[in-house]
Amino acid sequence: MDYEIAYSEEEHGYRVQMNYEFSVIADWISEHLTGREDIQKVLQCIRFAEDKEEISRFTQGNFDIVIQQSGVSVSRKVDMSDARDEIVAMFDNQSDFYQTSEEGIQAECGLEDLTGIIENWHDVVQ
């Protein structure tokens, strides 16, 4: 998995950058794994998943994270309730023509890939 840790002028801090298909993982790491305790918690969940086949589920902000032996799944919840009325209005009376989805965005990767990214991220933020 290709990634880059770079300084963002817009954010005034470092961020993980990844391909579009894995961008939700990069956003989660950049936004919520900013402290030593958070990073250690995730690394511990990874070790438990590898060694004891435990499944860890937790939420950070609008991200739902599941860490298990087969890998990690990160989902970003999307609230389309505000936009729904505007979108429906664009189609006049055809309210069933366009349906908004709140499923969000999801990405998955292996535990080994996630461990490498988080360890490099830890070196940058510390």
Side-chain angles (χ1 to χ4, degrees):
M1 176 185 314
D2 293 331
Y3 69 93
E4 177 181 57
I5 300 173
Y7 187 80
S8 169
E9 293 289 332
E10 295 171 0
E11 303 281 332
H12 300 291
Y14 286 92
R15 292 192 61 83
V16 176
Q17 306 288 328
M18 291 184 179
N19 296 339
Y20 178 75
E21 62 186 321
F22 299 108
S23 63
V24 69
I25 295 173
D27 291 344
W28 163 61
I29 292 170
S30 299
E31 295 173 21
H32 292 284
L33 299 186
T34 56
R36 183 181 200 149
E37 290 177 11
D38 293 326
I39 293 170
Q40 288 177 346
K41 175 185 172 186
V42 172
L43 290 173
Q44 186 176 31
C45 290
I46 292 170
R47 285 191 200 98
F48 286 152
E50 290 174 331
D51 298 341
K52 301 183 188 316
E53 299 181 21
E54 284 189 22
I55 298 174
S56 301
R57 298 174 200 274
F58 53 96
T59 300
Q60 290 183 309
N62 60 342
F63 296 92
D64 290 327
I65 300 95
V66 178
I67 299 174
Q68 55 191 348
Q69 191 173 33
S70 62
V72 64
S73 171
V74 179
S75 301
R76 180 183 337 181
K77 296 176 263 180
V78 178
D79 182 10
M80 294 293 289
S81 58
D82 293 339
R84 185 184 186 291
D85 293 336
E86 291 179 32
I87 293 169
V88 169
M90 290 184 337
F91 297 104
D92 295 325
N93 295 330
Q94 301 175 22
S95 62
D96 293 335
F97 181 74
Y98 186 89
Q99 297 294 320
T100 57
S101 171
E102 295 187 8
E103 291 180 11
I105 303 164
Q106 184 175 10
E108 298 176 353
C109 73
L111 295 179
E112 189 174 314
D113 288 332
L114 183 65
T115 301
I117 295 165
I118 292 176
E119 287 175 348
N120 289 333
W121 173 247
H122 179 265
D123 292 343
V124 170
V125 293
Q126 299 302 321

